[in-house]
Amino acid sequence: GLFLEPDHGFPVRMIIPGYIGGRMVKWLSTITVTADESDNEYHFKDNRVLPIGITAESAEKEGWWYKPDYIINELNINSAINYPFNDK
C-alpha cells in the first residue's frame, strides 16, 4: 500500500470501537458563531436521539427531527486545536 498522507490522517488514523465518527479529526479553516440555531440538515438529523419505534420515515412525516426535546446538547467537550504537520 501507500503511506498515509496528512490529508488522510497522517501520522495516525485510529478507529476506536464504541466511539462515533463525530469524534474523528476534522480539518477546519474557519468557525462561524451565530446567535441563531443552525438550520443545516446535519444539525437536525445527526444530533438527535429519537424515541424507540420512530423510523426515519415517520420522523420526517411527523416532524420529529425538529422537536427540541430530542436534541443532544449536553455532552462533555472533547476537542483539541492544533496545526497539521505539513503547515497547510
Side-chain angles (χ1 to χ4, degrees), residues 16-66:
I16 304 170
Y19 285 84
I20 61 170
R23 291 183 180 223
M24 302 303 178
V25 172
K26 308 288 189 284
W27 300 112
L28 304 175
S29 58
T30 60
I31 297 175
T32 304
V33 178
T34 66
D36 300 320
E37 183 177 29
S38 172
D39 61 356
N40 185 288
E41 178 179 3
Y42 294 108
H43 172 67
F44 286 102
K45 295 185 178 178
D46 284 350
N47 295 331
R48 309 289 165 161
V49 175
L50 300 176
I52 293 173
I54 300 298
T55 64
E57 293 79 18
S58 64
E60 193 72 42
K61 182 178 178 183
E62 300 167 17
W64 284 92
W65 296 121
Y66 305 100

